[in-house]
Amino acid sequence: MEQIKTMPGWLSKFMHRKRRRFCASLVRTYREISFASVDELWQKVEDLTDVSWHPLLKSTNVPLGLVPKPGLIFQAVTRFWPIPIQIFVERVNPKQMLSIRILTIPGIEERVTYQVESTLCGSYLSYSVTLRGWLSPLIWSLSRPYVDRVARALIESVENPALPQKKSLNGSCFDF
């Protein structure tokens, strides 16, 4: 008769607790069509200094003319809470894709990917958001109405550059 070995009680409790850890992952992709060329869309996406079209970001500390490269880390300030957030450029395929990771607080990991492609119908812009971590349901519920508008706002800023962008009043945090 073979003897069955069991693991010590403290180790089995540790492994059991580890399996119960909560980690959520939310993925959403938005796709918009534009009559602007791929070059015009890409110029707007790669210009990290001009985020006036973005409903969540107010400004960045990127110098004018800096082209995004993998490994670039810069700061941005949100419109609603004047706190700086770190943004890390992960991947860049010129005139095709820009992938960035947003590092705000522990417990949340956000990855944003912009993809530009040309078709017979026009140019497509895909905007993908991936949230991971135990705080992702809370962050998603707060930011979703604004994230839903990012791709459309980017397209509109390229197609209608003469339209004035919504700016904050006196630098207020409450510029909805």
Side-chain angles (χ1 to χ4, degrees):
M1 195 181 227
E2 285 186 38
Q3 189 176 23
I4 300 174
K5 294 183 178 180
T6 61
M7 67 176 83
W10 63 271
L11 184 59
S12 65
K13 288 178 187 175
F14 174 74
M15 291 177 69
H16 191 58
R17 283 186 193 139
K18 193 168 184 160
R19 279 188 233 137
R20 282 193 241 160
R21 186 181 301 169
F22 178 73
C23 185
S25 181
L26 300 166
V27 179
R28 186 72 191 242
T29 300
Y30 303 91
R31 188 173 168 128
E32 294 285 339
I33 191 165
S34 172
F35 297 111
S37 69
V38 170
D39 292 334
E40 291 171 329
L41 284 172
W42 182 253
Q43 278 182 328
K44 196 58 125 171
V45 168
E46 81 170 346
D47 185 10
L48 300 175
T49 58
D50 177 27
V51 290
S52 62
W53 51 269
H54 201 289
L56 291 174
L57 299 179
K58 185 175 184 176
S59 64
T60 64
N61 69 346
V62 177
L64 286 173
L66 185 66
V67 178
K69 300 278 185 200
L72 175 67
I73 298 175
F74 62 96
Q75 285 187 348
V77 177
T78 62
R79 290 187 188 272
F80 307 112
W81 303 285
I83 55 170
I85 57 172
Q86 298 285 326
I87 298 178
F88 174 73
V89 178
E90 289 185 320
R91 288 183 57 196
V92 179
N93 289 344
K95 297 185 181 177
Q96 290 179 358
M97 187 208 39
L98 173 66
S99 176
I100 59 175
R101 186 173 298 207
I102 300 171
L103 311 166
T104 51
I105 55 175
I108 188 77
E109 174 187 323
E110 182 176 2
R111 178 177 289 148
V112 175
T113 304
Y114 297 94
Q115 288 185 325
V116 181
E117 61 184 276
S118 179
T119 64
L120 293 174
C121 301
S123 300
Y124 276 105
L125 174 74
S126 296
Y127 173 73
S128 299
V129 179
T130 305
L131 289 173
R132 294 184 62 188
W134 63 277
L135 281 176
S136 60
L138 174 67
I139 299 297
W140 182 254
S141 66
L142 295 173
S143 65
R144 182 170 182 196
Y146 306 104
V147 171
D148 289 345
R149 294 185 280 168
V150 171
R152 177 80 323 223
L154 178 64
I155 296 283
E156 288 174 358
S157 71
V158 172
E159 290 179 347
N160 304 321
L163 287 180
Q165 298 294 325
K166 292 180 184 174
K167 291 291 184 181
S168 65
L169 301 171
N170 302 325
S172 170
C173 298
F174 302 102
D175 59 342
F176 300 99

